[in-house]
Structures are given as structure tokens and as C-alpha cells.
Amino acid sequence: MLTVRGRILDENGKPLVGATVLQPGTYRGTSTNAQGEYALQVPAGTTALQYGYAGYQEAELGVKSTGHADVTLQPRAKAAKRHWWQF
């Protein structure tokens, strides 16, 4: 097993509290603490982890052998506000 640790930050470098980290194809996952930090044990040979937070684009990044991964998530593009007469 390998413990992957890191932080999940927003586009301004601020921690995202409660962001999720998942190992694709399994039920393994965790969420970040108040400082945006996480730690997740994954089997050796795990190639990628998925990172997500409401209102932000999801990211899938490779797992490094060092076991450290800091991630910066970008906000989703806001949909243009539509008025009732534009339908």
C-alpha cells in the first residue's frame, strides 16, 4: 500500500474544505480537512486519482511514486443566464 498525501486548492491558492479524492473503479476515497489536506491509502501500482469539488472542474491525475500530490482545481464555466424570452 502507498499513502498519497497532498492539498487541494482553488484557483487563488486557498484550501478547498471537503473536496473529494477517489481511486477510480473502487470505493476508496477521502475528503480534505480545513487546510485542504488529504491522505489516502491506495494499492501500489495505482495509476491515477480523481479530484473533485462542487462548482469546480474535476481532475484526474497520475499517482507519483513519491506519494505526494497537490492539486489546483479550476471553477466550472458559468452558464450564461437565460431569460424567459430567449427560449
Side-chain angles (χ1 to χ4, degrees):
M1 296 293 274
L2 170 69
T3 301
V4 180
R5 299 175 189 277
R7 294 182 74 198
I8 301 179
L9 307 172
D10 68 8
E11 71 281 10
N12 299 314
K14 295 183 181 175
L16 290 173
V17 180
T20 57
V21 182
L22 300 172
Q23 180 187 359
T26 72
Y27 294 107
R28 282 191 183 93
T30 191
S31 59
T32 57
N33 64 16
Q35 291 77 38
E37 300 168 337
Y38 70 91
L40 179 63
Q41 283 194 336
V42 296
T46 299
T47 58
L49 293 176
Q50 293 177 335
Y51 301 87
Y53 191 75
Y56 285 77
Q57 296 175 3
E58 294 181 359
E60 184 168 323
L61 300 172
V63 174
K64 298 177 185 175
S65 60
T66 61
H68 188 82
D70 289 339
V71 178
T72 300
L73 297 180
Q74 299 298 319
R76 287 189 180 136
K78 292 184 179 182
K81 197 170 194 176
R82 296 186 68 153
H83 299 283
W84 64 271
W85 64 85
Q86 292 179 326
F87 289 102

